[in-house]
Amino acid sequence: MTDQDETQRGLRADAERNRDRIANAARAAFRELGADAPTKEIAKRAGVGTATLYRRFPTREDLLVHVFADRLTGCESSVHAALADSDPWRGLVEHVNHLAHLQLEDRAFTAVFLHDFPADSPVGRSRVEAGEALRQLIDAAKATGDLRQDVDENDVMLLLKANDGVLRWADDPARESGRLVERFLRSLHA
Amino acid sequence: MTDQDETQRGLRADAERNRDRIANAARAAFRELGADAPTKEIAKRAGVGTATLYRRFPTREDLLVHVFADRLTGCESSVHAALADSDPWRGLVEHVNHLAHLQLEDRAFTAVFLHDFPADSPVGRSRVEAGEALRQLIDAAKATGDLRQDVDENDVMLLLKANDGVLRWADDPARESGRLVERFLRSLHA
């Protein structure tokens, strides 16, 4: 290996280390402060300058997607799995419980989930697909007569917003969130 | 009037002015930052020292009660009015809508409403009474067969927590909050 190769390798390793440190700091900051945690604060926690942060993650979306990639993918597979269930109402109940559980596990998830990703970004595109799958699921559950006719995808968003409030104020988040989801789903059942 | 009288009057007027300035600053800070808005921030906005603030309002409760006196009294008259309704379910629906509307008008209200006031304070005592009235209202609505047997006063608290989340995230707070209340009440109806 030449000296130049070694220098290159060292620089790549540094870049990777910085990237990981920024991602870890961002994860913690999002959890504590929400998805709009200040960039300056994230850089400070990571021990890097904001210029370095912007070089690694040019936009807020880049950082959100990097940190929450698994969960965003998880939401989408959840709605597709629900749509594949032979009982659409059961699929819907499981999907909604899955989303509420992700919120319980990580308070920053609500902000990411409700974030408007640009429609031409990879996350934006798979969001559009997931939205389409959710609408199909809702239609299928109406067709079996399980879901009330006045329900639409906004009810799922509404429940996620409501659940965030419950998680913020609850003495016992798991129990109270479970009760909200149960109450809410009951009101959607025909 | 003697000079001493005039001096006394001037001091009283100063004290009153400070009190009003602190209350106005606190109202704005509670609205923006919630019921745990830092005392230092409130004093700064009021243009007084924290020592002056503490002299006028020795505890956080004193300040909350002063700022929200009307609304706290309003909640209590609301539950008593509901209890006087010949149709307890209708009374409950009106009471819950009234609380949700107070939240819509003033985002800090949730924090005040959910705040644990000392049981031996005037607000704490009227809270205990209002809680008792709410339980009676719930029992009465169960007795007429309108309210499900699995409902209790925690459902009202749960809805207020949920509504706070909706108000935080909603694109259209009035509409989305109304939808949540409607959905939730439907799930409580027998």
Side-chain angles (χ1 to χ4, degrees):
Chain A
M1 195 171 5
T2 65
D3 281 1
Q4 212 186 343
D5 283 346
E6 246 179 60
T7 309
Q8 283 288 344
R9 221 165 59 167
L11 286 175
R12 270 201 305 274
D14 271 359
E16 214 168 288
R17 232 185 340 265
N18 273 344
R19 201 176 161 88
D20 288 349
R21 282 162 68 177
I22 294 167
N24 288 334
R27 191 172 288 116
F30 290 150
R31 194 161 292 152
E32 284 168 47
L33 309 170
D36 52 358
T39 305
K40 225 171 128 178
E41 172 68 21
I42 296 172
K44 196 178 132 197
R45 290 179 181 211
V48 303
T50 49
T52 302
L53 191 152
Y54 282 123
R55 199 158 51 239
R56 299 292 152 229
F57 299 101
T59 68
R60 170 64 44 136
E61 272 86 13
D62 294 326
L63 196 49
L64 286 172
V65 168
H66 183 79
V67 168
F68 291 101
D70 289 356
R71 297 198 165 190
L72 288 168
T73 314
C75 292
E76 280 146 29
S77 24
S78 165
V79 68
H80 290 296
L83 196 53
D85 195 315
S86 61
D87 179 345
W89 168 255
R90 184 178 58 198
L92 182 63
V93 167
E94 279 182 14
H95 176 54
V96 163
N97 272 293
H98 180 76
L99 295 179
H101 193 75
L102 288 175
Q103 289 180 291
L104 175 66
E105 276 183 353
D106 186 344
R107 288 288 316 283
F109 174 71
T110 307
V112 182
F113 193 82
L114 296 174
H115 186 80
D116 253 331
F117 289 94
D120 60 352
S121 66
V123 177
R125 274 191 297 274
S126 64
R127 271 301 168 81
V128 171
E129 273 178 42
E132 186 46 44
L134 179 59
R135 275 185 295 277
Q136 283 178 35
L137 179 63
I138 286 171
D139 286 345
K142 283 181 186 172
T144 57
D146 286 309
L147 192 62
R148 290 176 63 106
Q149 294 298 323
D150 67 353
V151 174
D152 62 34
E153 68 271 23
N154 293 318
D155 282 297
V156 175
M157 297 303 144
L158 187 65
L159 176 57
L160 295 184
K161 294 172 186 179
N163 194 36
D164 188 58
V166 168
L167 293 173
R168 187 179 299 267
W169 291 107
D171 300 314
D172 182 343
R175 196 175 49 75
E176 296 184 37
S177 166
R179 187 164 176 161
L180 173 72
V181 173
E182 184 260 326
R183 271 18 183 172
F184 198 85
L185 284 172
R186 189 160 79 191
S187 83
L188 304 189
H189 198 270
Chain B
M1 197 174 356
T2 66
D3 282 0
Q4 212 185 344
D5 281 345
E6 248 180 59
T7 309
Q8 283 287 343
R9 219 164 60 163
L11 286 175
R12 269 201 305 274
D14 272 358
E16 215 168 288
R17 231 182 343 263
N18 274 342
R19 201 177 161 89
D20 288 349
R21 283 163 66 178
I22 294 166
N24 288 335
R27 190 172 289 115
F30 289 151
R31 194 161 292 153
E32 286 168 46
L33 309 170
D36 52 358
T39 304
K40 226 171 128 180
E41 173 68 21
I42 297 172
K44 197 178 132 199
R45 290 179 181 212
V48 304
T50 50
T52 303
L53 191 152
Y54 282 123
R55 199 159 51 238
R56 298 293 153 229
F57 300 101
T59 68
R60 170 63 44 138
E61 272 86 14
D62 294 326
L63 196 48
L64 286 172
V65 167
H66 183 78
V67 168
F68 291 100
D70 289 356
R71 297 196 165 191
L72 289 167
T73 314
C75 293
E76 280 145 29
S77 23
S78 165
V79 68
H80 290 296
L83 197 52
D85 195 315
S86 61
D87 178 345
W89 169 255
R90 184 177 58 197
L92 182 62
V93 168
E94 280 182 14
H95 177 53
V96 164
N97 272 294
H98 180 76
L99 295 179
H101 193 75
L102 288 175
Q103 290 180 291
L104 176 66
E105 278 183 352
D106 187 345
R107 287 287 317 282
F109 175 71
T110 307
V112 181
F113 193 83
L114 296 174
H115 187 80
D116 253 332
F117 289 94
D120 61 352
S121 66
V123 176
R125 273 192 297 273
S126 64
R127 272 299 168 81
V128 172
E129 273 178 43
E132 186 46 45
L134 178 60
R135 275 186 294 277
Q136 283 177 35
L137 179 63
I138 286 171
D139 286 345
K142 283 181 186 170
T144 57
D146 287 308
L147 192 63
R148 290 176 64 106
Q149 294 299 322
D150 67 354
V151 175
D152 62 34
E153 68 271 22
N154 293 318
D155 282 296
V156 175
M157 297 302 142
L158 187 64
L159 176 57
L160 295 184
K161 295 172 187 178
N163 194 35
D164 188 57
V166 169
L167 293 174
R168 187 178 300 266
W169 292 107
D171 301 312
D172 182 343
R175 194 176 50 76
E176 296 184 36
S177 167
R179 187 165 176 161
L180 173 72
V181 172
E182 184 259 327
R183 273 16 183 173
F184 198 86
L185 284 172
R186 188 159 81 190
S187 84
L188 304 189
H189 197 270

